[in-house]
């Protein structure tokens, strides 16, 4: 198979997979795109050439960007090999790729005498305490999150966290705004 044929096969497979994952029939996708159901079927089965005049409305109708449909970069090495980064009493390991839209981080938080400063930023945070205890400050609230417990909150609420009675190890998931606030700044 040629490189162009490989790309077309990937795009066709993605189109059909996205449509079925979203639970859309050919008729429902046709209504979203102003294409006929038969035209969409022919694109998915390889009986019609993929062109921008068809691909653009399909991407819009499926609510994805063209880059998501056309990306054929290899995923041969799916294993992420995190390396530690230490900033002000916190050691972090990035568990997701640099270009990922969602950021996953493992963090070891050392206890400190100073109370952390609460901050706000756009986004949403989720954390899971692997070991130790974490004091989560959310505005006026103080919440102790124990090992085996998770917390999820809107990050426009002033927030910070600190280890309680020893180191706390946690997993965090957030968007790119959260990565900047939690990983690069090094402080809550």
């Amino acid at each position: 198979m040629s490189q162009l044929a490989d790309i077309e096969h990937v795009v066709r497979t993605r189109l059909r997979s996205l449509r079925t994952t979203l639970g859309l029939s050919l008729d429902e996708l046709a209504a979203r795109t102003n294409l006929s159901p038969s035209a969409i079927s022919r694109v998915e089965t390889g009986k019609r050439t993929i062109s921008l005049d068809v691909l653009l409305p399909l991407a819009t109708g499926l609510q994805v960007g063209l880059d998501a449909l056309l990306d054929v970069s290899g995923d041969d090495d799916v294993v992420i090999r995190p390396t530690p980064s230490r900033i002000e009493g916190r050691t972090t390991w990035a568990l997701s790729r640099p270009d990922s839209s969602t950021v996953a981080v493992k963090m070891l938080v050392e206890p400190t005498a100073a109370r952390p400063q609460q901050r706000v930023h756009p986004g949403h945070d989720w954390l899971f305490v692997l070991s130790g205890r974490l004091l989560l400050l959310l505005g006026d609230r103080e919440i102790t999150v124990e090992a085996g417990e998770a917390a999820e909150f809107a990050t426009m609420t002033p927030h910070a966290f600190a280890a309680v009675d020893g180191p706390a190890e946690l997993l965090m998931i957030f968007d790119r705004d959260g990565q900047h606030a939690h990983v690069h700044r090094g402080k809550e």
Side-chain angles (χ1 to χ4, degrees), residues 169-180:
E169 188 175 31
L170 54 140
L171 291 177
M172 296 187 73
I173 298 176
F174 35 76
D175 59 16
R176 286 281 159 208
D177 293 326
Q179 178 192 28
H180 179 72

Side-chain angles (χ1 to χ4, degrees), residues 11 14-15 18-19 22 24 28-35 40 51-70:
V11 171
R14 285 183 183 154
L15 287 170
L18 282 168
R19 179 179 62 77
L22 292 172
L24 297 173
E28 291 167 327
L29 183 56
R32 289 182 173 196
T33 61
N34 293 322
L35 298 170
I40 296 169
S51 59
L52 283 178
D53 64 323
V54 172
L55 201 54
L56 283 170
L58 286 172
T60 301
L62 294 168
Q63 300 175 334
V64 296
L66 279 177
D67 56 336
L69 293 174
L70 297 172

Side-chain angles (χ1 to χ4, degrees), residues 151-165:
E152 182 176 10
F153 53 93
T155 55
M156 289 306 288
T157 301
H159 63 283
F161 58 80
V164 178
D165 301 329

Side-chain angles (χ1 to χ4, degrees), residues 124-184:
H124 206 81
D125 281 2
W126 176 91
L127 62 87
F128 178 79
V129 179
L130 295 165
S131 65
R133 298 171 64 210
L134 194 72
L135 175 64
L136 176 61
L137 305 172
L138 283 176
D140 295 334
R141 299 167 51 196
E142 292 188 8
I143 304 160
T144 300
V145 185
E146 304 283 345
E149 295 180 335
E152 182 176 10
F153 53 93
T155 55
M156 289 306 288
T157 301
H159 63 283
F161 58 80
V164 178
D165 301 329
E169 188 175 31
L170 54 140
L171 291 177
M172 296 187 73
I173 298 176
F174 35 76
D175 59 16
R176 286 281 159 208
D177 293 326
Q179 178 192 28
H180 179 72
H182 293 289
V183 178
H184 296 297

Side-chain angles (χ1 to χ4, degrees), residues 10 27 31 36 41-42 60 79 84-85 134:
V10 167
D27 290 329
S36 71
S41 176
R42 288 193 313 269
T60 301
V79 176
S85 173
L134 194 72

